[in-house]
Amino acid sequence: MRITRTLALAATAAAALAVGTVIPAAGATTLDDSVPSYQEFAASTYRDVDGGYIVNGDEVISDKGELRKFYDLLVGPETPTDGLIVNTVNGADDKWSASQVGNLTYCVSTKFGSRHADVVNAMASGAALWESASSKIDFVYVSSADGQCTTRNKSVLFSVEPVQTSQYIARAFFPSSPDRQQNVLIDDSIWSSGSWTPTNILGHELGHTLGFRHEHTRPEAGTCFEDNNWRPLTPYDSASIMHYPQCNGSSDDLSMTNSDRAGAVALYGN
């Protein structure tokens, strides 16, 4: 339910050198035993001195996110491609009502000081990731509440507040969380988290506020198990915005995938 510092400093180990990796041309209809999985392809693709990936002999791909796009363009997405899971409480989905999910009001504390506008912008762009997935989802910024932006302010559903901690970059809550915990807390390290942009970090956290769990708690990840209190909305996705990369994730930029969008629609509708 929180992005840890190890997430922000995600996997930097060099991939094994294997210049001769071959995958089929675009238009291939199936992935058989002769075609590497994305994980195998990424592991066998040469990583250059500047961290880029070399494909087609001498073409550079800047990062894992772009490498995944390159792979998908050639062979099509692996199956299953879609993945998102929802938290459950006593066997029931932990989600907002249809009326509430369309009015997720929040404030941004003025205690962010000179970073206040940056947080406002990052929250808006992080929220837009989910809003673009489902028209039912609407995060509403209430600037008039910023001066008294705490969980005690009943003019908003949740607050966005600064915190000083070495334990996490940001943390959020689930719909079922008690009122006193319905806030998004952000440490200053969000501005220095390498490939993790504030937009994607807050997109991940806002995924929790919608009820979505860490994708890596699923058995397919093979590590980072949390608990079994979740229901699958779609099949497993190692590149999900809700999947920590150091937990056998296949994306290192915490970006939203088509899989995540499909999961949002599955829970809240188009």
Side-chain angles (χ1 to χ4, degrees):
M1 195 168 166
R2 63 192 184 198
I3 297 181
T4 63
R5 289 188 182 278
T6 51
L7 174 61
L9 301 173
T12 57
L17 172 60
V19 177
T21 300
V22 177
I23 55 180
T29 56
T30 61
L31 288 176
D32 57 32
D33 292 341
S34 67
V35 178
S37 67
Y38 168 74
Q39 287 82 359
E40 292 168 334
F41 172 65
S44 63
T45 299
Y46 176 65
R47 196 162 194 179
D48 210 352
V49 292
D50 62 358
Y53 294 87
I54 303 301
V55 299
N56 292 339
D58 61 356
E59 298 174 11
V60 66
I61 298 290
S62 60
D63 54 39
K64 279 188 176 180
E66 293 302 312
L67 187 67
R68 181 57 186 253
K69 293 177 184 177
F70 174 82
Y71 176 93
D72 287 347
L73 283 173
L74 288 177
V75 303
E78 294 178 88
T79 54
T81 58
D82 296 335
L84 210 59
I85 58 176
V86 62
N87 189 50
T88 58
V89 178
N90 297 323
D93 289 348
D94 189 1
K95 58 181 287 191
W96 299 108
S97 66
S99 58
Q100 186 67 82
V101 78
N103 189 37
L104 300 170
T105 56
Y106 67 93
C107 57
V108 176
S109 174
T110 55
K111 291 182 180 180
F112 282 106
S114 63
R115 284 292 192 179
H116 180 263
D118 295 328
V119 176
V120 169
N121 291 335
M123 277 293 297
S125 55
L129 296 175
W130 297 105
E131 291 167 338
S132 65
S134 169
S135 64
K136 307 298 184 183
I137 298 171
D138 191 11
F139 288 93
V140 180
Y141 172 44
V142 182
S143 61
S144 60
D146 287 356
Q148 300 294 325
C149 188
T150 70
T151 57
R152 295 186 296 275
N153 191 329
K154 300 308 178 184
S155 66
V156 291
L157 181 66
F158 68 95
S159 57
V160 181
E161 304 175 58
V163 68
Q164 292 184 353
T165 181
S166 60
Q167 298 302 305
Y168 56 79
I169 298 171
R171 79 109 173 100
F173 61 94
F174 289 128
S176 62
S177 298
D179 290 351
R180 66 181 182 279
Q181 294 176 357
Q182 291 197 0
N183 53 12
V184 174
L185 300 182
I186 302 172
D187 181 70
D188 276 347
S189 56
I190 195 173
W191 311 114
S192 56
S193 298
S195 62
W196 306 108
T197 67
T199 291
N200 288 354
I201 290 172
L202 292 179
H204 174 101
E205 295 304 329
L206 291 177
H208 287 312
T209 72
L210 291 169
F212 302 125
R213 288 290 302 273
H214 286 142
E215 186 76 356
H216 50 258
T217 195
R218 300 174 74 155
E220 293 94 330
T223 187
C224 299
F225 173 76
E226 296 171 352
D227 59 55
N228 289 314
N229 298 320
W230 50 268
R231 178 178 72 85
L233 298 166
T234 49
Y236 171 70
D237 176 21
S238 62
S240 170
I241 192 173
M242 303 308 296
H243 199 306
Y244 283 3
Q246 74 270 25
C247 296
N248 290 337
S250 60
S251 172
D252 63 1
D253 61 2
L254 209 68
S255 58
M256 177 170 277
T257 68
N258 288 334
S259 313
D260 297 320
R261 298 182 185 94
V265 169
L267 187 61
Y268 288 111
N270 281 308

